[in-house]
Amino acid sequence: MSTPQDHLPEAITHDAINELLASISLPKATNIAPAKVTAAYHSIYMVFLPPNEKTSHRELILKNTTIPIADLVTYDDSSNNPIGYEYTLLAKVPGETLSDVYSTLGEQHISKILDQLADILEQLHRHEWDEIGGLNLDAQGEIRPAQIVDETFWTVPELKLWPPGETTASLNIAGPYANYTDYVSAQIRQYIRLIQLHDKLAFMRNDISRLEAFLITISSRATELNRTKLVLAHKDLHFANVMYDRGTGRITAILDWGFSCIVPCQQWNPRRAFLWNGQDGEASMAEKKRL
């Protein structure tokens, strides 16, 4: 499987971004700057608009929390637009990306940031859920569990690695799932199917009987396993997704909720992204471990 960065789009020109802004009745940008940290699966641009310009936007409210998030200006989940990609346009929030300024902060500032992040996690984990899945809004604007979205999923550019006729829907699990054992069982059944499907996975076929035995075992312990608490997880809460105001010492927004899901509590940080400062290298990993 290739890495997410292998499928990032080429740099989008300023002209294309301004054409997009014009198509949604926004003024020409005064400045456009790419984010310093390379994201997985998407590119990030800071687009600055003239001051005092009225924009039509709606608030994206994460109910039952006080977690700061940026207002949603508009979005398009298709590629039928001037830049040729799906996009989300968020309103500017005070501050800077925490990953950009982290190395300049003293221990007192870092301690306050950790306190705020702990409060954010507590709020995310406080709410009780009865299904596992991604998030969607129903007709009444209520958040409901939906199909799971995960960065480990097979994507469209990778379909060429599989036999003809396979789709992202057939290669990945779906959801939502009623409980923990249903969720794990769906993953195991999908592993078995893919092992049987792809010739290059033939060396794993002798293990299928063990996977099938595992399915029987977790089913026999379903009552106990299904007591697992389900929580809402951001799943990519590193410092490049945190906006921070050095003047106030406050986190001003949590960005990039694209992979957020309701998950078993032990999977709240699946990629170990939490507390990563957005910089590659051993020093960065050592600092994350220290925190």
Side-chain angles (χ1 to χ4, degrees):
M1 185 184 297
S2 55
T3 65
Q5 286 80 5
D6 293 333
H7 305 308
L8 287 176
E10 295 182 2
I12 301 173
T13 67
H14 291 194
D15 287 343
I17 292 175
N18 277 314
E19 186 179 350
L20 171 66
L21 295 175
S23 73
I24 54 177
S25 302
L26 290 177
K28 183 177 180 179
T30 58
N31 188 33
I32 300 171
K36 295 180 181 179
V37 175
T38 300
Y41 291 100
H42 54 261
S43 299
I44 301 173
Y45 293 84
M46 305 298 183
V47 179
F48 298 85
L49 301 180
N52 301 321
E53 185 69 32
K54 292 184 178 180
T55 59
S56 175
H57 65 274
R58 64 181 179 85
E59 291 187 349
L60 180 65
I61 300 175
L62 188 59
K63 293 187 176 181
N64 303 315
T65 80
T66 59
I67 297 171
I69 54 177
D71 287 340
L72 178 66
V73 177
T74 188
Y75 73 97
D76 190 346
D77 58 5
S78 75
S79 59
N80 300 320
N81 55 64
I83 63 173
Y85 300 100
E86 61 182 49
Y87 70 87
T88 301
L89 182 60
L90 301 176
K92 186 178 185 298
V93 296
E96 305 163 89
T97 306
L98 180 56
S99 59
D100 290 346
V101 301
Y102 180 79
S103 62
T104 69
L105 301 176
E107 285 299 317
Q108 185 175 3
H109 290 93
I110 292 173
S111 179
K112 290 181 179 179
I113 290 169
L114 295 179
D115 285 344
Q116 293 172 68
L117 288 172
D119 179 65
I120 287 169
L121 288 180
E122 189 278 328
Q123 292 190 63
L124 283 175
H125 296 180
R126 180 192 307 164
H127 190 75
E128 294 186 2
W129 302 89
D130 55 11
E131 289 183 283
I132 297 171
L135 299 177
N136 206 349
L137 295 176
D138 63 17
Q140 289 72 44
E142 295 293 329
I143 297 175
R144 301 296 182 195
Q147 181 172 347
I148 290 175
V149 178
D150 193 89
E151 64 180 85
T152 63
F153 277 7
W154 294 98
T155 60
V156 170
E158 295 164 334
L159 293 179
K160 62 186 178 183
L161 302 175
W162 293 90
E166 293 298 318
T167 66
T168 55
S170 67
L171 293 173
N172 299 307
I173 61 173
Y177 296 99
N179 51 54
Y180 179 74
T181 53
D182 283 357
Y183 169 61
V184 174
S185 295
Q187 292 177 310
I188 299 301
R189 292 191 184 98
Q190 188 70 340
Y191 296 155
I192 292 173
R193 177 182 177 274
L194 298 184
I195 291 170
Q196 293 171 329
L197 176 67
H198 205 298
D199 289 341
K200 289 189 177 180
L201 299 178
F203 72 97
M204 302 178 68
R205 289 172 186 165
N206 289 337
D207 292 323
I208 288 178
S209 61
R210 299 176 66 184
L211 292 173
E212 291 172 337
F214 180 75
L215 286 172
I216 295 172
T217 299
I218 62 172
S219 177
S220 68
R221 300 183 179 181
T223 300
E224 177 184 359
L225 292 171
N226 289 339
R227 296 193 187 104
T228 300
K229 183 178 180 180
L230 308 181
V231 300
L232 175 60
H234 181 282
K235 297 205 303 185
D236 203 21
L237 195 53
H238 53 71
F239 291 170
N241 284 331
V242 178
M243 296 296 292
Y244 175 72
D245 187 337
R246 281 190 283 189
T248 63
R250 301 296 301 175
I251 290 173
T252 55
I254 301 297
L255 307 177
D256 193 6
W257 294 81
F259 289 113
S260 58
C261 276
I262 303 161
V263 299
C265 60
Q266 60 267 38
Q267 294 184 2
W268 72 272
N269 184 32
R271 308 296 162 255
R272 303 293 189 268
F274 186 59
L275 301 182
W276 177 50
N277 63 19
Q279 308 300 319
D280 293 323
E282 293 182 5
S284 174
M285 293 299 103
E287 176 64 5
K288 182 166 81 80
K289 184 177 181 179
R290 183 185 75 87
L291 295 177

